[in-house]
Structures are given as C-alpha cells and as structure tokens.
C-alpha cells in the first residue's frame, strides 16, 4: 500500500553505520541482506514512567477500519488487537482467537479466548468480534481494508466465543489479514455509542491491548496508559505511559531525537538527518526486517509504456545496486522482484528457486537494447511522475531518465506537488499524462500473493489494467496447500517480472531509532500490527 511522503536522504550512511559498529549493512559497500536485519532489540531491565515516541504526522483517525497508514497503525497496534497476530519474526500466530479452523474452503471458524477483557472491564465475546468485522462490509463506513473482505459472504457469532466467516469463494489471504488491523476488535457497545465519533480525539476507542487510550490533544500529542489488567502476561506493558508526538518536519524530529526530547521513532525511508542519528551519542539506529519496497508503478494503458517490452527494457537497464548504494546510502537492497525473501512465510525453497531463476538485479544494457529493438522506437516520450520536495524521488528519477536515454528513449519527469501526490493512487484523472510514478509500497503479510493480488481485473491499485495474471491470482487465492500456492505464485511472479507492470527497484528495511536510556522495541515491520511498545523500558 502507498504511504506518506518519502524522506530526504543523506550521504555517507553506509560508512557512518559501519564506523559506529552497526553491522546491519554487512560492512561498507556490501549488499544489505535479510540476515543483516533485526526483529527485536535487547530486553528491558524494568519499565519507566514515560516513553515519548514520534510519529511522522498526526493520525487522521484511530478507527481500525480506516487505519491503513503508518502513523495510525503505529499507535493503534498498542491498543487494538486482532484475531490473529503478526509476530516480530513475521509469523502469523493466534491473537484474540485461540484457534482458527478452516473446515471447508469457504469457511473460517474462530474460537475466541475467554480471558480477554476490554479496558472498561467488560469481557470480550463473539458479539464484539462479529460487530467489529461486519463494519468492513458496510459500504457507508468506507473501510480501507476492503480488498480483504471482497470474498466475504457473512460474518456471524455462532456461539458465545465463536465467530464463523463464510466466503463466496476460497481465499487464503483472508485469515492472514486477520493478523492486521483488518481483524482488530472494538467493544460492540462502544461502537454503538461512539458512531461516527469513533477513533477521533474526543471519541477514542475501546479495545483490549496492553496500552489504553487516555487522551488526544489535536496538533500536539496522543497519550496512552498501561492496561494493568491486560490478559497476556507475556506482553504486559513494562512502562506506565506512552506519549506520541506529531513532529512532521524531519530536521525538527531529528533534533528532538538527538536531544532526548523524544525517545524514539520508526522511519520507512531514511530521514535527512539519518547520519546524525547514527552518530548520535544519545541513541542508536537499528535496521529491521521489512515487507516494504521501492518501485516504479506503471499507469499507462496506451502508448509506448503500455508495451511490456519497453517496460522490460527500461527495467533491464536500471542500476539497482547503484541506487541502493548511492541514493539510499546502503539502507536498501537491490531487488528483481516486488516480494523480497521476508514474504516467504511458507515453501521458502520453492520461492528461492523461482527468485533465482529470474534475471539478476543488476543492469544488462545489451539485453535492454535487444528488447527495445524488438519493440521498435517509441512514438512519443515516456513521462515519469515524481513527488516534489523529495530527494529520493528526484535522484531515482534521474537514474531512470539516464538509463532510458542510454537506450534512446525520451524520458521526461513530471514533478507533482507533495500535497497532490496521493491523488495518483486514487484518482485516474490525476494520472493522466503520466506513464508511471515512483512509490514506496508494502504487502501486509508474509505471503507474496498479497503483493501480486494487486494485478487483478478491476483492482483499485491495478493502475495500468494489467490482467495477464488475473486468473492465476484467483487460482492461487483458492490454494490452501502451501506448496501448490507457492508454485502458482512463482509462476505469477515470473510473468509479472517479465511484463513489469510495476518495476521493482529496492527492498527497504525498517529504520528504528531509540534513545540509549530505553530498549525493548520491536525492530521489524510487525510494529504496524503488533504491540511493539509493550516491552520498552530501561536498559
């Protein structure tokens, strides 16, 4: 899914991290690999009175059905829990459901825990779960998780602690989605009372997590307090209070982190002052496992870029290792596929073989020229959309433009103001005159199918109407057998890599900064859906 404004970059990151003893990059100039990345940080000795954490912007809402973004999920993950849980090592395990059963291909039965209580002391029952999930089926509420509910026929409480979900067709991704905010549970009576005010500064939420909503001062901060009656002894919060600040300006945020005014922050792209954070005497940087990637998203339905041979030629000419090394200063890994190895939550050997059979993530100008010769000289220029005020966009676009010109392509850059860039994802009119645009993106679960599912007919993010894998994607969605699904997804990946509707460039790690007075934060991508702050405390 697309996310907020990419950060500016800084020079010398690889050298700085190595000089500071951080081995995440494997040494200066070495390619970043999954083995280099963390899932957790050292355990805390005991709790502290207050943790102050920065968000990249103020959340629009804390309503779980509209929480599909960085700041919202970072805060919500500590409050509202889901039926299943995405763990720091990117595995899906039981959450509020003690078990999930799939008696038929179109039915999921969730047996709920009986020891879970909301912050107000009321016991969680099947009625709360059914009410929470059924909100995604109400068009008037406008869930942002609709893709995962397209195959749902009904959601019913079939016992005091049992919920049954019937599907219109088999869908292996539905249960996995229950480990995200799509499966979050809010107390039914609170939902009924809050109405449209749910998740607002005055409405708040009523959930079951280790921290509870305690107040939201718009424009300033969001305050959570420890839930001392939390049901899960292993995830009880160590510290008393968690306060979120909303410092959007990167320079101000970095200064606040370095000064100790703020204890920590997650970054999805390197901030302008990352080298300052790496060199900071008051804190440290950890790189974590992630499902996030950097890509060029195709949007052309006609013209030269609608020809897969032109797209493949431009892709083959890209210097991905150079982009990872120079533009991201080592805090990225060159990728030839959209789904990196952290997505391989099953049948990893099959996915490895499929990945290794693809062209390497390095430039092959001779191959690129052969492809373009077969396609013929384009009749008009290619236009790449980039976000204004972003060095990552500008520098990546410059490399794409240079690679295209080496092939004889006329590549032009269209700068879209930052406040308008989000329209490219939702408004076809905003994409008029743009053949492709740069973006960060991520799936939500350790299954490559979650990424490739975007390429279905009529998919809201299938910007160029690429439909060659539509049937295969739907077949894979119905394949509950891991090996069968992996083989199908491997074929989908091969077709997408050949036709390049989206051009993969780099996979991006989570960047975590913490003040040296604390430790215990989750370091991986799961921080968006897992109570990552529960373990934070003093060193």
């Amino acid at each position: 899914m697309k996310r907020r404004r990419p950060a500016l970059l800084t020079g010398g990151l690889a050298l700085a991290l190595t000089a500071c003893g951080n081995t995440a990059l494997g040494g200066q100039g070495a390619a970043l690999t999954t083995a280099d990345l963390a899932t957790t940080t050292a355990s805390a000795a005991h709790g502290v009175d207050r943790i102050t954490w920065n968000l990249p912007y103020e959340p629009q809402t804390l309503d779980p059905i509209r929480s599909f973004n960085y700041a919202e999920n970072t805060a919500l993950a500590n409050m509202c829990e889901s039926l299943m849980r995405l763990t720091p090592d990117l595995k899906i395990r039981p959450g509020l459901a003690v078990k999930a059963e799939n008696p038929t291909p179109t039915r999921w039965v969730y047996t709920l825990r009986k020891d879970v209580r909301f912050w107000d002391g009321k016991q969680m029952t099947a009625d709360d779960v059914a009410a929470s999930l059924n909100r995604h089926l109400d068009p008037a509420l406008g869930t942002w998780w609709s893709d995962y509910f397209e195959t749902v026929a009904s959601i019913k409480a079939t016992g005091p602690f049992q919920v049954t979900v019937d599907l219109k067709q088999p869908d292996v991704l539905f249960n996995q989605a229950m480990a995200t905010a799509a499966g979050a549970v809010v107390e039914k009576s609170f939902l009924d009372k809050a109405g449209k005010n749910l998740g607002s500064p005055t409405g708040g939420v009523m959930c079951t997590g280790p921290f509870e909503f305690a107040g939201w001062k718009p424009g300033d901060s969001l305050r959570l307090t420890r839930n001392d009656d939390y049901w899960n002894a292993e995830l009880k919060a160590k510290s008393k209070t968690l306060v979120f600040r909303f410092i959007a300006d990167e320079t101000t945020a970095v200064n606040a982190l370095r000064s100790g005014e703020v204890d920590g922050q997650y970054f999805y792209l390197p901030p302008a002052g990352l080298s300052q954070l790496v060199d900071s005497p008051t804190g440290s940087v950890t790189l974590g496992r992630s499902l996030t990637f950097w890509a060029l998203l195709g949007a052309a339905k006609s013209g030269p870029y609608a020809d897969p041979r032109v797209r493949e030629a431009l892709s083959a000419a890209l210097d991905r290792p150079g982009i990872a090394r120079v533009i991201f200063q080592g805090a990225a890994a060159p990728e030839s596929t959209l789904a990196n190895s952290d997505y391989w939550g099953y049948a990893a050997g099959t996915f490895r073989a499929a990945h290794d059979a693809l062209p390497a993530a390095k430039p092959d100008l001779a191959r690129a020229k052969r492809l373009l010769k077969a396609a013929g000289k384009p009749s008009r220029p290619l236009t790449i959309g980039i976000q204004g005020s972003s060095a990552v966009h500008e520098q990546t676009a410059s490399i794409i433009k240079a690679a295209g010109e080496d092939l004889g392509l006329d590549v032009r850059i269209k700068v879209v103001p930052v406040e308008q860039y989000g329209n490219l994802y939702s408004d076809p009119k905003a994409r008029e005159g743009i053949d492709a645009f740069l973006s960060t993106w991520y799936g939500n679960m350790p299954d490559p199918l979650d990424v490739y599912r975007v390429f279905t007919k009529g998919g809201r993010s299938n910007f160029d109407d690429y439909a060659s894998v539509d049937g295969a994607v739907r077949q894979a969605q119905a394949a509950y057998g891991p090996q069968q699904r992996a083989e199908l997804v491997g074929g989908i990946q091969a077709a997408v890599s050949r036709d390049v509707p989206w051009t993969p460039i780099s996979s991006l790690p989570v960047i975590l900064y913490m003040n040296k007075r604390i430790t215990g934060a989750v370091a991986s991508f799961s921080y968006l859906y897992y109570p990552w702050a529960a373990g934070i405390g003093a060193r």
Side-chain angles (χ1 to χ4, degrees):
M1 179 61 188
K2 60 142 176 121
R3 286 302 184 263
R4 290 271 177 164
R5 173 178 177 268
L8 299 179
L9 294 176
T10 181
L13 173 58
L15 179 59
L17 286 174
T18 305
C20 287
N22 188 319
T23 60
L25 301 185
Q28 183 182 359
L32 190 65
T33 68
T34 299
D36 297 321
L37 305 178
T39 57
T40 58
T41 55
S43 298
H46 55 81
V48 297
D49 287 337
R50 170 174 165 147
I51 302 162
T52 303
W53 205 266
N54 191 49
L55 298 176
Y57 57 92
E58 183 169 7
Q60 294 183 4
T61 179
L62 293 178
D63 182 346
I65 75 169
R66 288 189 287 273
S67 66
F68 211 46
N69 220 330
Y70 283 107
E72 289 82 357
N73 283 327
T74 302
L76 197 68
N78 295 286
M79 293 184 281
C80 297
E81 299 179 287
S82 299
L83 288 178
M84 307 299 286
R85 199 187 296 281
L86 181 65
T87 62
D89 60 351
L90 303 183
K91 305 293 184 184
I92 293 178
R93 300 288 185 249
L96 295 178
V98 68
K99 62 179 177 179
E101 298 174 289
N102 188 209
T104 72
T106 57
R107 173 167 287 184
W108 283 96
V109 179
Y110 296 93
T111 301
L112 309 179
R113 299 187 63 93
K114 299 179 180 180
D115 57 350
V116 178
R117 293 187 179 274
F118 293 100
W119 304 324
D120 61 3
K122 294 180 182 178
Q123 186 178 31
M124 183 195 73
T125 69
D127 288 339
D128 300 299
V129 175
S132 296
L133 298 187
N134 270 309
R135 296 180 72 228
H136 294 280
L137 302 183
D138 185 349
L141 296 179
T143 178
W144 289 9
W145 298 90
S146 60
D147 285 353
Y148 298 119
F149 289 83
E150 288 179 347
T151 59
V152 174
S154 66
I155 302 169
K156 298 177 181 178
T158 48
F161 297 97
Q162 184 186 80
V163 172
T164 299
V165 179
D166 284 314
L167 305 176
K168 302 170 188 175
Q169 60 196 56
D171 185 356
V172 72
L173 295 179
F174 177 80
N175 183 58
Q176 297 185 74
M178 292 300 97
T180 72
V185 177
V186 181
E187 184 182 281
K188 182 180 184 300
S189 61
F190 192 89
L191 287 173
D192 295 338
K193 182 178 179 180
K196 293 182 179 180
N197 204 31
L198 181 73
S200 69
T202 56
V205 289
M206 180 58 63
C207 294
T208 62
F211 284 97
E212 58 183 280
F213 179 88
W216 181 351
K217 185 177 180 181
D220 182 72
S221 61
L222 168 66
R223 184 170 176 266
L224 313 185
T225 55
R226 183 171 61 199
N227 173 15
D228 288 325
D229 297 318
Y230 182 56
W231 63 273
N232 189 338
E234 295 181 357
L235 287 174
K236 280 190 173 181
K238 290 181 178 291
S239 298
K240 294 180 179 179
T241 305
L242 175 60
V243 175
F244 290 104
R245 299 284 305 280
F246 317 133
I247 305 173
D249 180 76
E250 290 176 353
T251 299
T252 305
V254 167
N255 289 338
L257 289 165
R258 282 174 55 87
S259 71
E261 175 187 348
V262 173
D263 292 311
Q265 180 171 346
Y266 290 105
F267 296 92
Y268 55 94
L269 279 176
L274 184 55
S275 63
Q276 297 177 50
L277 295 179
V278 170
D279 293 334
S280 173
T282 61
S284 61
V285 172
T286 300
L287 301 185
R289 291 177 61 186
S290 177
L291 302 180
T292 306
F293 56 89
W294 180 237
L296 180 66
L297 313 186
K301 299 179 182 180
S302 62
Y305 204 72
D307 186 333
R309 295 171 297 182
V310 174
R311 298 194 299 263
E312 189 179 7
L314 187 57
S315 176
L318 284 184
D319 184 3
R320 291 173 174 83
I323 292 173
R325 184 176 62 253
V326 178
I327 296 177
F328 290 93
Q329 297 301 310
E335 280 293 343
S336 57
T337 63
L338 297 172
N340 67 25
S341 59
D342 275 331
Y343 280 92
W344 304 344
Y346 58 97
T350 299
F351 283 121
R352 168 61 66 188
H355 180 277
D356 291 348
L358 298 173
K362 58 183 180 180
D364 187 342
L365 195 57
R367 176 169 164 265
K369 289 182 176 179
R370 289 196 301 271
L371 287 163
L372 195 58
K373 183 178 180 180
K377 186 176 180 179
S379 58
R380 63 172 176 81
L382 309 181
T383 300
I384 307 297
I386 69 168
Q387 183 175 279
S389 305
S390 171
V392 177
H393 277 244
E394 293 167 3
Q395 293 168 8
T396 304
S398 293
I399 289 180
I400 293 173
K401 180 177 174 63
E405 289 176 346
D406 284 345
L407 297 176
L409 294 172
D410 182 2
V411 179
R412 301 184 182 181
I413 308 301
K414 181 177 181 179
V415 179
V416 180
V418 60
E419 61 272 12
Q420 298 175 19
Y421 204 73
N423 295 336
L424 296 179
Y425 301 91
S426 58
D427 186 357
K429 290 184 179 180
R431 297 193 295 271
E432 289 181 358
I434 292 177
D435 293 297
F437 59 100
L438 288 167
S439 180
T440 55
W441 200 273
Y442 59 74
N444 294 289
M445 57 197 69
D447 189 335
L449 179 59
D450 191 40
V451 173
Y452 297 117
R453 185 188 189 183
V454 73
F455 302 116
T456 54
K457 292 179 180 178
R460 63 178 180 177
S461 298
N462 191 4
F463 306 120
D464 59 359
D465 289 343
Y466 175 73
S468 296
V469 297
D470 177 79
V473 168
R474 298 186 189 281
Q475 187 179 0
Q477 276 186 254
Y480 286 104
Q483 185 60 38
Q484 179 190 9
R485 185 162 82 255
E487 290 173 0
L488 288 168
V489 174
I492 293 167
Q493 177 177 267
V496 170
S497 297
R498 178 193 66 236
D499 297 338
V500 208
W502 290 8
T503 302
I505 300 174
S506 305
S507 60
L508 307 175
V510 171
I511 300 173
L512 165 65
Y513 178 86
M514 278 195 301
N515 188 284
K516 289 183 178 178
R517 81 179 186 95
I518 62 169
T519 186
V522 168
S524 74
F525 173 88
S526 68
Y527 79 88
L528 291 174
Y529 308 121
Y530 182 91
W532 55 269
I536 297 180
R539 289 182 176 272

